[in-house]
Amino acid sequence: MALLVLASVLTCSVVGSAIGARLLGLARQTRQLPELLIGTGVFAYSSLALPSLLIMGLPSLSVGAARVFQLLQQTANFVTLSAVILFTWRVFRPDAAWARALVVAGIALAAVASWGTVSVAPETQGASAMPEQVRPYVSLMVVVWAVIFLWTGLESLRFHAMMRRRLALGLGDPLVCNRFLLWAIWGLACGALDLLDLGYNLAGFDFSRHPAPLLTICASCLLSSAVWYLAFLAPESYVQLVASRARG
Amino acid sequence: MASSAAYEAAQQVLETSAGMERWAARGAIQLALMDGGFESGSVTVAEMEVVVDKLLARQLETQKVSDVAGICAKIRAALGGIGDAPGKDTPDRIFQRLGKGKAK
């Protein structure tokens, strides 16, 4: 199990860092906010949050170093969450007052959850098990993530349906239509996995040792790697496949 | 959300040439746009031309509007005389930029 977690987290970290860097490079060219937001989110999660999570699991890590990586991981996680919720608002609902309120509430609640999580420092060397007093904050963070994932997934699914109707009229790009579907799959699946994590947290599972939460980490990392790759760095063979399927 | 220039032009023709009430004209266009997967605020002239040909004509027929072909021709003529307002960043344009290429 440990090897599977290591392989999936490393895969996601490498793939996500490359794609995040590409999106940030794109943002530099276009000077547009959506690519800056999603590039920041993917890059911060893949290159900072995930490696920090792995390092925190090392048994030989000193308490001081564990504290540093805990702060880094939580900061990167908060940056990622803020970037994804801002991206969803900016892309899908830039004019909706309720969406702005949801963004403010989501970021505020995530800040509270992050602060609550880092307020309890690791106490002993190699202690990766979650302290009990942190669990309410972890639940809050998981709920905020789930809401954001489900929101972005549902918005993207709605646009995928619209793009399919355009394709039926001979308008639109099948690859963009497929990109909406991939983003929807990612959002909805990660939202569902987060709800599973909420259940595990409420049941008192140790996230660093129990196989069920470790499996959800593997699933979300592998899914994220695949979706980000196909959506933002699709190989020519995949582009051709999508195009040929659209032609019927 | 403000309607696009193409939407406004089509609505204008329906009101003046088909004698439709404002709400009826907007409703007919809105239904045609929904069938085509478009939104009133971002539909472009080129997209509206396709919607008029393939969807709005059928929509007007179901509403028993007379001389549908003539009205659609007038809408196309009106669309030919306008341009799209620059640069509204829609989800499809953003998702187009985020990818590496374009399917052929």
Side-chain angles (χ1 to χ4, degrees):
Chain A
M1 178 57 79
L3 270 180
L4 182 63
V5 172
L6 183 66
S8 56
V9 171
L10 280 178
T11 301
C12 188
S13 184
V14 171
V15 171
S17 296
I19 289 166
R22 192 193 81 77
L23 291 169
L24 287 173
L26 181 69
R28 210 174 149 198
Q29 286 170 19
T30 62
R31 303 271 166 198
Q32 294 293 319
L33 189 59
E35 34 271 61
L36 177 64
L37 289 170
I38 200 60
T40 302
V42 171
F43 191 80
Y45 182 73
S46 308
S47 65
L48 296 174
L50 284 179
S52 299
L53 193 66
L54 279 184
I55 293 168
M56 281 165 65
L58 294 175
S60 56
L61 198 68
S62 70
V63 172
R67 178 67 168 157
V68 169
F69 284 106
Q70 183 197 30
L71 289 171
L72 183 62
Q73 197 259 339
Q74 281 301 318
T75 305
N77 206 30
F78 175 73
V79 167
T80 303
L81 182 146
S82 303
V84 173
I85 196 170
L86 283 166
F87 172 81
T88 304
W89 160 71
R90 172 63 186 76
V91 173
F92 295 108
R93 300 282 175 180
D95 303 317
W98 67 263
R100 278 196 294 275
L102 186 59
V103 168
V104 172
I107 292 175
L109 288 172
V112 170
S114 294
W115 174 83
T117 307
V118 297
S119 65
V120 182
E123 287 163 1
T124 56
Q125 190 168 344
S128 56
M130 190 188 300
E132 282 305 310
Q133 60 268 43
V134 166
R135 285 195 185 276
Y137 295 109
V138 172
S139 288
L140 177 61
M141 185 60 102
V142 169
V143 167
V144 175
W145 265 119
V147 169
I148 294 169
F149 277 135
L150 294 174
W151 181 28
T152 205
L154 288 171
E155 294 284 9
S156 198
L157 198 61
R158 185 175 72 91
F159 254 86
H160 170 67
M162 288 170 65
M163 293 296 291
R164 279 174 60 100
R165 281 185 238 134
R166 292 182 200 186
L167 289 177
L169 294 176
L171 296 169
D173 181 349
L175 200 57
V176 176
C177 180
N178 181 260
R179 202 168 289 141
F180 278 114
L181 178 63
L182 290 168
W183 190 255
I185 290 169
W186 178 73
L188 296 175
C190 288
L193 289 170
D194 264 354
L195 292 177
L196 274 179
D197 273 344
L198 178 65
Y200 299 149
N201 192 45
L202 293 174
F205 289 5
D206 180 350
F207 274 51
S208 61
R209 290 194 182 87
H210 197 285
L214 287 177
L215 269 177
T216 64
I217 291 174
C218 294
S220 80
C221 282
L222 292 175
L223 178 79
S224 297
S225 306
V227 165
W228 294 341
Y229 178 58
L230 293 177
F232 304 126
L233 206 61
E236 193 55 31
S237 56
Y238 186 74
V239 173
Q240 295 304 329
L241 176 73
V242 171
S244 66
R245 287 188 59 152
R247 283 194 296 268
Chain B
M1 185 167 61
S3 304
S4 73
Y7 180 96
E8 296 290 344
Q11 180 200 320
Q12 195 71 36
V13 173
L14 285 185
E15 281 182 55
T16 53
S17 299
M20 294 174 84
E21 297 282 347
R22 182 181 166 84
W23 63 268
R26 291 184 82 88
I29 301 168
Q30 199 69 48
L31 286 171
L33 287 179
M34 278 172 60
D35 282 349
F38 295 101
E39 290 182 330
S40 60
S42 58
V43 64
T44 64
V45 170
E47 290 163 348
M48 183 60 97
E49 283 172 345
V50 176
V51 169
V52 169
D53 284 342
K54 297 190 175 175
L55 300 170
L56 185 63
R58 204 172 54 209
Q59 185 63 39
L60 294 177
E61 279 164 8
T62 64
Q63 295 187 13
K64 311 285 185 216
V65 173
S66 57
D67 190 21
V68 169
I71 289 165
C72 287
K74 283 182 181 170
I75 295 175
R76 275 192 296 276
L79 290 172
I82 60 165
D84 290 314
K88 185 166 170 53
D89 213 8
T90 55
D92 50 309
R93 284 171 209 158
I94 294 167
F95 269 60
Q96 178 90 61
R97 287 202 307 268
L98 294 178
K100 205 172 59 158
K102 189 177 167 75
K104 295 171 185 76

